[in-house]
Amino acid sequence: MMILVTYDVNVETTAGKRRLRRVAKSCTRYGQRVQNSVFECVVSMSDYLTLKKELLEIIDEDHDSLRIYHMGSKYSSHIESFGVDNHTDIDGVMIL
Amino acid sequence: MMILVTYDVNVETTAGKRRLRRVAKSCTRYGQRVQNSVFECVVSMSDYLTLKKELLEIIDEDHDSLRIYHMGSKYSSHIESFGVDNHTDIDGVMIL
């Protein structure tokens, strides 16, 4: 299944800047950064639960916002991308 | 149906800063800003097509990224929000 992780971390403090880095680092282990604060993660249920736990331990719920969108398994037809696209299509055919 | 609109606009130029404002302005007419560059828009098919056309006329596809995620009609169970949440639940009961 794919989950979309989007976040706004308050970076007015050094601690906030550190939280931002840690959130991105965690998401990078489970998926692809498609925009500054948007990650697409194709994960198992257990990976999803682990990532969510990790992220909730990082963010400051009084100052940061974290949203997780469940895109299901047939997600590729539900996503449109325009302009700059740093994303690699995981299901796409790799031509060597 | 709900669409999720996420974007990264290159603001290194004055023109980029203007594009960013215009993208947000357009999205605001169709939905709710839930994070800095993330809007949730509950729209008809024709509104979706109109918004998409508007946004594609605004962004610079060589420098900006626009992604649209189709969340379908049963979206509320597919969205998790943690921390700061500026979003009003459109389907929620309004207690006066």
Side-chain angles (χ1 to χ4, degrees):
Chain A
M1 68 179 184
M2 178 193 274
I3 59 170
L4 186 71
V5 179
T6 73
Y7 53 85
D8 267 358
V9 173
N10 184 312
V11 289
E12 285 163 16
T13 62
T14 318
K17 291 186 179 88
R18 209 163 75 83
R19 291 196 308 271
L20 183 65
R21 283 195 302 272
R22 288 181 61 204
V23 166
K25 206 170 158 195
S26 280
C27 291
T28 304
R29 285 210 308 278
Y30 293 87
Q32 291 195 64
R33 177 176 240 158
V34 293
Q35 288 172 351
N36 270 337
S37 312
V38 179
F39 278 78
E40 293 179 5
C41 307
V42 178
V43 287
S44 62
M45 180 54 79
S46 72
D47 277 352
Y48 150 63
L49 294 170
T50 308
L51 174 57
K52 182 163 83 165
K53 187 170 173 286
E54 255 178 59
L55 295 176
L56 289 178
E57 282 164 3
I58 296 170
I59 66 164
D60 171 349
E61 295 206 33
D62 294 329
H63 297 98
D64 306 333
S65 165
L66 171 70
R67 298 180 82 82
I68 297 176
Y69 296 88
H70 294 262
M71 303 297 298
S73 48
K74 296 192 186 71
Y75 48 85
S76 41
S77 60
H78 298 163
I79 302 172
E80 293 182 277
S81 172
F82 306 94
V84 175
D85 187 342
N86 309 321
H87 152 266
T88 326
D89 180 359
I90 295 171
D91 306 319
V93 174
M94 180 82 81
I95 299 165
L96 301 175
Chain B
M1 69 178 183
M2 176 192 276
I3 59 170
L4 186 71
V5 179
T6 72
Y7 53 85
D8 268 359
V9 172
N10 183 314
V11 289
E12 285 163 16
T13 62
T14 319
K17 290 186 180 87
R18 210 165 73 85
R19 292 196 307 272
L20 183 64
R21 283 194 303 271
R22 290 181 61 205
V23 165
K25 209 172 159 193
S26 280
C27 290
T28 304
R29 284 209 310 276
Y30 293 87
Q32 291 195 64
R33 178 176 240 157
V34 292
Q35 288 174 351
N36 270 336
S37 310
V38 178
F39 278 78
E40 290 180 6
C41 307
V42 178
V43 287
S44 62
M45 179 55 80
S46 73
D47 277 351
Y48 151 63
L49 294 171
T50 309
L51 174 57
K52 181 162 85 164
K53 187 169 172 288
E54 256 178 57
L55 295 176
L56 288 179
E57 282 166 359
I58 297 172
I59 67 164
D60 171 349
E61 296 208 32
D62 292 330
H63 296 98
D64 307 332
S65 165
L66 171 71
R67 297 178 83 85
I68 297 176
Y69 296 87
H70 294 261
M71 302 298 297
S73 47
K74 298 191 182 75
Y75 49 84
S76 39
S77 60
H78 298 163
I79 302 173
E80 294 181 277
S81 171
F82 306 95
V84 174
D85 186 342
N86 310 321
H87 154 266
T88 328
D89 180 359
I90 295 172
D91 305 322
V93 174
M94 183 81 83
I95 298 166
L96 300 176

